[in-house]
């Protein structure tokens, strides 16, 4: 059955993709591909089966088009490998067109909305994260992975060299963007806010009997550990309601 083969296929990906990517693949395979295609014999899968599956995903509109395309990539790659291993006569997924990519319109806060939110969050210990997000365009993962060693307050620049994983468990230098390792200029008021934040953070560390260093994360818990993204989102939502 295709479900058993997909589990074997996923095992082969462990040595070729990042752990975060592997988790995404596992989620797509377990919760989306296997429930609808898993009971087919791998040698009897047809282009019609796969096209009907794609049509259903698009009609239900439960997945972003980016994830639908990832599903196509997984099915195509898995059957291509099955063909090389002589488990099927041909890769039938290659006969099915890749689902079309659609882009959702992104709504961006204007200057007044940004300032209103920042004012509401000004006393929050995660304020610096929100400020950096609204003034630099950095990804959330990049902000949460930023170290003091990456901050040049004299030249008012930030050096993007690592990021925090979606689960908040791993710091990685394998960044997504082509501009990985880039430098980001910051306004003077952001540099001032960073100095204030650093002083506050060092005070928290001194209470715990430890001194700060350049390897410390700019955005961290009071213990100096990474801030888990989902906890950051909870704080953001709470502050968002206070700003309206």
């Amino acid at each position: 059955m295709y479900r058993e083969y997909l589990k074997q296929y996923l095992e082969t990906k462990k040595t070729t993709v990042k752990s975060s990517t592997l988790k995404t693949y596992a989620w797509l395979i377990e919760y989306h591909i296997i429930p609808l295609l898993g009971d087919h014999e791998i040698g009897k899968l047809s282009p019609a089966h796969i096209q009907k599956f794609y049509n259903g995903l698009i009609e239900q509109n439960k997945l972003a088009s980016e994830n639908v395309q990832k599903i196509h990539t997984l099915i195509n790659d898995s059957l291509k490998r099955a063909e090389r291993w002589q488990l099927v006569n041909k890769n039938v997924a290659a006969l099915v067109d890749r689902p079309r990519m659609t882009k959702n319109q992104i709504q961006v806060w204007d200057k007044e909305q940004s300032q209103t939110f920042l004012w509401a969050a000004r006393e929050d210990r995660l304020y610096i994260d929100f400020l950096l997000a609204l003034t630099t365009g950095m990804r959330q993962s990049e902000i949460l992975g930023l170290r003091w060693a990456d901050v040049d307050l004299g030249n008012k620049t930030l050096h993007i060299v690592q990021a925090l994983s979606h689960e908040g468990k791993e710091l990685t230098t394998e960044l997504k963007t082509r501009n990985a390792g880039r430098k980001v200029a910051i306004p003077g008021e952001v540099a001032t806010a960073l100095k204030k934040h650093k002083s506050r953070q060092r005070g928290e560390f001194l209470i715990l009997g430890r001194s700060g260093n350049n390897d410390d994360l700019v955005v961290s818990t009071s213990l100096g550990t990474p801030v888990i993204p989902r906890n950051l989102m909870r704080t953001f939502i709470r502050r968002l309601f206070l700003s309206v």
Side-chain angles (χ1 to χ4, degrees):
M1 293 295 176
Y2 189 39
R3 69 169 64 245
E4 280 73 30
Y5 171 73
L6 281 173
K7 292 174 183 177
Q8 294 175 4
Y9 166 76
L10 197 58
E11 285 293 316
T12 68
K13 304 302 287 186
K14 287 183 177 179
T15 58
T16 60
V17 300
K18 295 188 297 183
S19 60
S20 57
T21 301
L22 186 67
K23 288 178 182 177
T24 299
Y25 287 175
W27 169 65
L28 291 172
I29 287 173
E30 182 176 354
Y31 292 101
H32 297 283
I33 301 176
I34 284 179
L36 292 173
L37 293 180
D39 289 336
H40 290 281
E41 291 184 28
I42 187 171
K44 294 184 178 181
L45 271 173
S46 70
H49 290 139
I50 297 172
Q51 185 64 64
K52 183 179 179 180
F53 171 56
Y54 291 166
N55 292 345
L57 290 177
I58 294 169
E59 288 170 6
Q60 292 171 18
N61 198 29
K62 292 182 179 179
L63 283 175
S65 59
E66 179 184 0
N67 282 327
V68 175
Q69 287 208 329
K70 286 179 182 176
I71 283 176
H72 172 74
T73 298
L74 285 168
I75 293 174
N76 184 50
D77 187 57
S78 69
L79 293 179
K80 184 189 298 183
R81 181 165 302 193
E83 183 180 10
R84 290 201 307 267
W85 289 355
Q86 299 182 344
L87 298 176
V88 296
N89 292 326
K90 63 180 178 180
N91 171 16
V92 295
L95 304 176
V96 181
D97 292 334
R98 175 182 288 273
R100 184 168 57 90
M101 183 75 170
T102 58
K103 292 186 177 181
N104 297 324
Q105 187 174 359
I106 299 175
Q107 294 186 346
V108 181
W109 284 350
D110 59 27
K111 184 176 180 181
E112 182 179 351
Q113 289 172 315
S114 298
Q115 290 177 338
T116 298
F117 173 78
L118 288 174
W119 176 257
R122 67 192 183 281
E123 296 302 327
D124 197 288
R125 65 181 316 280
L126 293 177
Y127 169 81
I128 198 65
D129 178 281
F130 305 137
L131 181 64
L132 289 172
L134 288 169
T135 59
T136 68
M138 293 168 61
R139 296 172 180 267
Q140 174 183 284
S141 59
E142 293 171 343
I143 295 173
L144 295 180
L146 188 69
R147 304 167 304 164
W148 286 112
D150 309 323
V151 178
D152 186 344
L153 293 175
N155 292 312
K156 298 184 178 63
T157 57
L158 308 177
H159 191 196
I160 312 304
V161 297
Q162 66 176 17
L164 184 68
S165 66
H166 180 70
E167 300 82 8
K169 296 180 179 179
E170 180 184 5
L171 287 164
T172 177
T173 55
E174 297 179 12
L175 304 183
K176 283 187 176 181
T177 65
R178 294 179 181 177
N179 294 322
R182 71 192 186 281
K183 288 188 177 181
V184 177
I186 56 174
E189 59 268 28
V190 175
T192 300
L194 279 165
K195 290 177 183 177
K196 181 179 178 181
H197 173 73
K198 188 174 186 178
S199 177
R200 174 178 178 171
Q201 188 185 65
R202 293 296 180 263
E204 292 177 340
F205 290 172
L206 286 173
I207 292 174
L208 297 173
R210 64 172 292 234
S211 58
N213 58 65
N214 280 341
D215 288 330
D216 286 327
L217 295 172
V218 172
V219 181
S220 70
T221 67
S222 59
L223 298 176
T225 55
V227 172
I228 297 176
R230 65 173 177 271
N231 291 339
L232 174 64
M233 183 56 66
R234 292 192 187 104
T235 301
F236 168 73
I237 292 172
R238 184 173 68 251
R239 291 298 176 182
L240 183 60
F241 281 115
L242 291 175
S243 68
V244 296

